[in-house]
Each structure stands twice: as structure tokens, then as C-alpha cells.
Amino acid sequence: MDRLENTVRPYAWGSTTAIPHLLGVEPTGEPQAEMWMGAHPGAPSRTARGPLTDVIDKSPDRELGAETVAKFGPRLPFLLKILAAGAPLSLQVHPNLQQAKEGYEDEERRGIPVDAGHRNYKDANHKPELICALTEFDGLCGFRDPVRAADLLAGLEVDSLKPYVDLLHAHPEEAALREVLTAVLSADPEQMARTVTEAAAACERLGGAYAPYADIARHYPGDPGVIAAMLLNHVRLQPGEALFLGAGVPHAYLNGLGVEIMANSDNVLRCGLTPKHVDVPELLRIVRFEASDPGVLRPGASPGGEEVYETPIDEFRLSRYVLAEGAPAHDLTRATPQILLCTAGSVQAGEHRLGPGESVFVPAGEKAEVSGTGTVFRATVIA
């Protein structure tokens, strides 16, 4: 079992206080957005044996287990993060596995550098993800029913939004959502900026259900993503609740601290709320234009005190243990690789004492017991 030293990424949208507060250290005044735990080549965790990428590369069968390697290849299939949003992230979708493979191969054939700003596919993998709230956590997830979206836009009483309201009422669900999102993202930038400014002022005035969009507009004035965001469900997670984001589902995280786990990929198609490249035709090819409930997940109890967040994919499996003082140790030994993350209290994981924000990597089949008082998240795979 290896104690992990993890990199904190200073993205501009990050909170300046949430991760330092969790770790019990003084804030630096700079944004601290994500702490990465895993073997992503962009910021691999460090161990006493070297970077986790190198540790796995030297002996993938030993570290990951033969079944994991056979199913996913010789790399850790997931990336675990602590995510601290102090401002809205970009509105985005992720491709499914087939779309990712095709997109990656196409951009490779065309010779687009992997680090190019207009590159969509950094790898050939999909990127399903799960976010579990540690504090109240606000996000956008999936399309609203078109009629509900029309009512929300109509309530702003902005004349330039009326054509979108009419479209949402006039077409079947898929066509309505597709036409409106296409129109918003393809509109004349100056005209759309004026529409967004007028809509933002109305959101500020009305408050209530409009308050999240007023906040988005303060961070991204004039951005067409503000109107696109109003097509989506707003959801507020309570601590311990989670969202699963599958392929093609538009989403954005707005504010809060959470544990995030995802397939090991960087593939993102952006819809707005960003200065980065927005490839509208490719985005429209990937988005699933269907209204959906956000589907808030609550952990289901399993034997031994494990609370599992059930998802339909195998690259990751997230669960948690809420440990009580004096309770017997939990045996977490498993034939697949694991990362154990403490988010509250003081926990003993093997020979390592973990406080909030501290983590260990457990190789496949390695003896793993946890005890103490606090909360431990367990990340692994289904092989």
C-alpha cells in the first residue's frame, strides 16, 4: 500500500479556500481547482516507489491484477479527484467509446497536434464520470423538458428569446432541443451578447429559479452558454449525494466541493462558458438531445458497511465507508487496484494514518484494512 502525494491543479474556476480547508492548510490566495489521484500522465500521483505511472508500467499485472489488465489494458482505468468549484466550469459533453475512437483516429490522420487548442480528442477513450458532493454542490445536468425550458426563457420577457420559445413549443422534443441549441451557438456573436446581457439583467431581477443563471452570467458576461445553460436541469446536491454523467449528456459544475471519479480520458466537447475552442458541428454530433431527470444518486448499502454509488460502466466503482469509533476494522482486500481517500476524521489504512484529503494506492490483491473515525472513499474497477 503506497501513500500518495497528489498534484493540485490551479484552474481559474477553482475555489481559493475549499481544498486548503479540507487539507487543514493556509490558503495561498490562488485558485485550487482539482487534486488528482491516480496515474494520469498529465499529473500522476507520487509514491515512495516513484510516480504511480512508472510503478504500474514496471509491473502492470502485479499492480493492477491480470483481470484488470486483460479488460482495460496496462494502465489504471480511472482518475480520482477532489474538485473544488468556486466559479462555473465550462458547459460540456463527453463522447461515447466509439465516437472517441473515431474522433481520435480522424484527428490523428489529419495531423492535428494533441496539444492544439482546436483539438477535440486527446485520446481514444470515453469519459463517463461521477461527482459526489462533500458540501452543498450546484450543477447542471441533462436537458429540461422543452416546454419547461420554454417557460423559463419566456419568463425573462426578452424579445430576442421569443423565437427560441416558439421553437421549443413547436417541435418534437429532439428536434426542438437540437434546433434551439444550434441557433444559440450559431448566432451572431454581437447580437447574442446583447441578448445574454438583457437576459442576465432579468435573471438578477427575478431571482429564485433564475439565480443560478444570473451567477453564471456574472462569470461569463455575453457568453451564449448562459442561454444554453437555461435549457438544462439545475440540481443542488446535498453532502453524500452524487450525479453520474454519461456520454452525450450536457453538464456543468457550478459551485461546491466534491469527490469526482472518471474514466482515464481528456475528451471534452464544449458548449460554452469558456474562452476555449467550441466546435459546434462536432458538439451537435455528440450531444444526446433528449430531456432527462438529473438522476441524483444516493449510496446503496452493501455488506460490511460499504455504501456503493451504482453506475452502468466498469472503468470505475466508487463507494464510501463511514467509520465509527471503536468499530472493528473493515477488510477491503480486493483483486483489483484501489485508491482509498479520507475526506473526514482520522483513518488508519494499513500502516498509513490518513487525515482529510490524504490517500493511498492499494495494488490488486494487497491486504487492505481500514479503521478509525471518519469517512473513506474507495475507488476501484469492475473487472
Side-chain angles (χ1 to χ4, degrees), residues 93-103 121 124-128 246-248 267 269 285-286 288:
V93 296
H94 305 302
N96 64 32
L97 189 55
Q98 185 63 34
Q99 291 165 338
K101 289 178 177 176
E102 293 173 354
Y121 298 95
N125 200 15
H126 62 165
K127 193 187 178 187
N267 288 325
L269 282 298
R285 191 177 75 86
I286 299 301
R288 285 166 45 194

Side-chain angles (χ1 to χ4, degrees), residues 150-158 161 197-215 218 230:
D151 290 344
L152 193 71
L153 292 176
L156 296 174
E157 298 184 343
V158 173
L161 291 176
T197 299
E198 192 174 348
C203 287
E204 291 277 9
R205 184 178 68 253
L206 293 167
Y210 294 96
Y213 308 100
D215 184 65
R218 285 193 291 272
M230 297 185 73

Side-chain angles (χ1 to χ4, degrees), residues 85-337:
L89 283 67
S90 61
L91 192 60
Q92 58 190 258
V93 296
H94 305 302
N96 64 32
L97 189 55
Q98 185 63 34
Q99 291 165 338
K101 289 178 177 176
E102 293 173 354
Y104 180 77
E105 291 170 0
D106 174 64
E107 292 185 327
E108 287 288 282
R109 279 195 303 269
R110 290 191 282 141
I112 301 174
V114 173
D115 59 355
H118 64 290
R119 174 111 183 196
N120 294 315
Y121 298 95
K122 305 300 176 67
D123 52 67
N125 200 15
H126 62 165
K127 193 187 178 187
E129 59 191 42
L130 175 80
I131 183 77
C132 178
L134 295 178
T135 64
E136 277 198 346
F137 194 99
D138 281 78
L140 306 173
C141 179
F143 285 109
R144 297 175 186 269
D145 176 90
V147 173
R148 289 179 54 232
D151 290 344
L152 193 71
L153 292 176
L156 296 174
E157 298 184 343
V158 173
D159 287 344
S160 53
L161 291 176
K162 289 180 180 177
Y164 304 146
V165 173
D166 292 341
L167 283 171
L168 289 167
H169 280 298
H171 291 285
E173 177 180 289
E174 180 179 352
L177 295 170
R178 179 182 292 275
E179 287 194 35
V180 172
L181 184 63
T182 302
V184 168
L185 298 181
S186 304
D188 176 80
E190 291 187 5
Q191 291 180 356
M192 179 52 66
R194 288 193 291 271
T195 295
V196 172
T197 299
E198 192 174 348
C203 287
E204 291 277 9
R205 184 178 68 253
L206 293 167
Y210 294 96
Y213 308 100
D215 184 65
I216 292 170
R218 285 193 291 272
H219 286 96
Y220 299 97
D223 192 305
V226 174
I227 305 302
M230 297 185 73
L231 302 176
L232 306 186
N233 297 298
H234 172 252
V235 60
R236 174 166 291 169
L237 301 177
Q238 298 303 312
E241 295 181 334
L243 287 176
F244 173 72
L245 292 313
V249 177
H251 63 277
Y253 302 146
L254 304 181
N255 187 65
L257 181 71
V259 173
E260 185 183 35
I261 190 168
M262 63 191 64
N264 210 341
S265 172
D266 278 336
N267 288 325
V268 176
L269 282 298
R270 295 177 177 85
C271 313
L273 311 183
T274 178
K276 295 181 179 179
H277 176 62
V278 177
D279 184 335
V280 174
E282 185 65 9
L283 169 74
L284 296 174
R285 191 177 75 86
I286 299 301
V287 171
R288 285 166 45 194
F289 289 97
E290 56 186 48
S292 62
D293 184 277
V296 174
L297 297 177
R298 296 171 182 86
S302 293
E306 185 179 27
E307 301 176 340
V308 181
Y309 293 91
E310 299 288 353
T311 64
I313 53 92
D314 294 344
E315 279 88 347
F316 60 76
R317 176 183 184 274
L318 187 71
S319 61
R320 71 174 183 175
Y321 289 82
V322 179
L323 306 176
E325 184 177 1
H330 294 270
D331 185 356
L332 273 56
T333 307
R334 190 177 171 95
T336 52

